[in-house]
């Protein structure tokens, strides 16, 4: 998963990669909250390099690391100005992953965690998930841990209404038909939460 919010088979994943946030709103939000341009950025679980490439397009010096396995968070101490975690990492900000962020980030470094927000068509497709509700509450795992949240209103934008309906029914057999029936344009509403906070203070 990681580069994409949903684990699908290879063909459907490739389709989703082409239609998800074609306006580039997620990358621009990361720049606004980082910033990332001209800075050293560690992308966590950007396994397909899609997000790393988009960040590089903004001028970031981006490298990818994994959040699991024997080489988890394999970046040197104090090597990054910004850490960007994508969907599969920091599913709640547990002590171990927060410690890794604190280790890798330089003083004043920024941690930006991307998750689904819900209240959209995609939530209707995927059903009840903690990221669609409890995670964004004031007493939830992020805001209670010192994060702030920026909600980005995105789309899955298809070439045609027929293409949108075909993808939804194939990717989501139990819910896609109903969501597709309600579409009037070839796009699916998709809200993303970017939880963000700083680590330490810059010297001087």
């Amino acid at each position: 998963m990681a580069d994409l919010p949903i684990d699908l088979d290879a063909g459907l994943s490739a389709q989703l990669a082409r239609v998800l946030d074609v306006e580039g709103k997620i990358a621009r939000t990361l720049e606004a909250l980082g910033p990332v341009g001209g800075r050293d950025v560690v992308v966590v679980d950007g396994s397909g390099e899609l997000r790393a490439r988009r960040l590089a397009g903004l001028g970031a010096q981006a490298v990818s690391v994994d959040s699991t396995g024997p080489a988890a968070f394999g970046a040197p101490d104090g090597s990054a100005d910004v850490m960007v975690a994508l969907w599969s990492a920091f599913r709640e900000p547990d002590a171990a992953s927060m410690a890794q962020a604190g280790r890798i980030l330089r003083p004043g470094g920024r941690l930006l965690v991307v998750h689904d927000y819900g209240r959209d068509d995609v939530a209707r497709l995927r059903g009840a998930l903690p990221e669609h509700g409890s995670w964004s509450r004031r007493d939830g795992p992020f805001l209670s841990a010192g994060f702030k949240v920026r909600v980005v209103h995105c789309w899955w934008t298809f070439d045609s209404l027929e293409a949108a309906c075909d993808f939804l029914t194939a990717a989501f057999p139990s819910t896609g038909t109903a969501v597709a029936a309600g579409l009037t344009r070839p796009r699916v509403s998709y809200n993303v939460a970017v939880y963000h906070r700083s680590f330490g203070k810059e010297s001087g």
Side-chain angles (χ1 to χ4, degrees):
M1 178 167 89
D3 264 352
L4 298 170
I6 302 167
D7 190 14
L8 300 170
D9 69 39
L12 292 172
S13 289
Q15 290 183 56
L16 182 57
R18 289 195 296 269
V19 303
L20 191 157
D21 187 33
V22 296
E23 302 96 336
K25 290 182 177 181
I26 296 173
R28 293 200 303 273
T29 300
L30 296 176
E31 168 64 12
L33 295 175
V36 299
R39 307 181 84 192
D40 294 321
V41 179
V42 168
V43 183
V44 183
D45 289 345
S47 57
E49 300 294 333
L50 173 64
R51 303 300 153 194
R53 289 198 306 272
R54 291 191 175 178
L55 291 171
L58 295 171
Q61 308 299 315
V63 298
S64 296
V65 301
D66 294 329
S67 65
T68 59
F73 290 96
D77 294 0
S79 60
D81 302 301
V82 182
M83 177 181 284
V84 177
L86 296 161
W87 290 294
S88 59
F90 291 87
R91 290 201 54 79
E92 291 189 10
D94 61 276
S97 57
M98 292 294 283
Q100 291 284 17
R103 178 185 66 80
I104 293 169
L105 288 169
R106 296 169 182 144
R110 299 280 288 157
L111 173 59
L112 312 177
V113 180
V114 177
H115 283 303
D116 285 9
Y117 182 73
R119 295 82 161 174
D120 55 18
D121 291 334
V122 174
R124 293 174 58 207
L125 292 167
R126 302 191 68 194
L129 297 172
E131 50 262 58
H132 296 163
S134 61
W135 283 6
S136 60
R137 293 198 311 239
R138 189 178 301 275
D139 60 350
F142 288 97
L143 301 190
S144 65
F147 286 84
K148 296 180 180 178
V149 62
R150 176 81 60 89
V151 179
V152 189
H153 301 285
C154 304
W155 304 94
W156 297 357
T157 305
F158 297 84
D159 291 333
S160 66
L161 191 58
E162 181 181 12
C165 294
D166 288 347
F167 174 83
L168 295 181
T169 53
F172 305 94
S174 61
T175 56
T177 300
V179 173
L183 297 181
T184 58
R185 290 182 289 179
R187 62 183 193 177
V188 174
S189 63
Y190 179 48
N191 297 329
V192 171
V194 182
Y195 298 97
H196 56 98
R197 59 161 289 181
S198 297
F199 277 73
K201 295 182 179 179
E202 295 179 348
S203 60

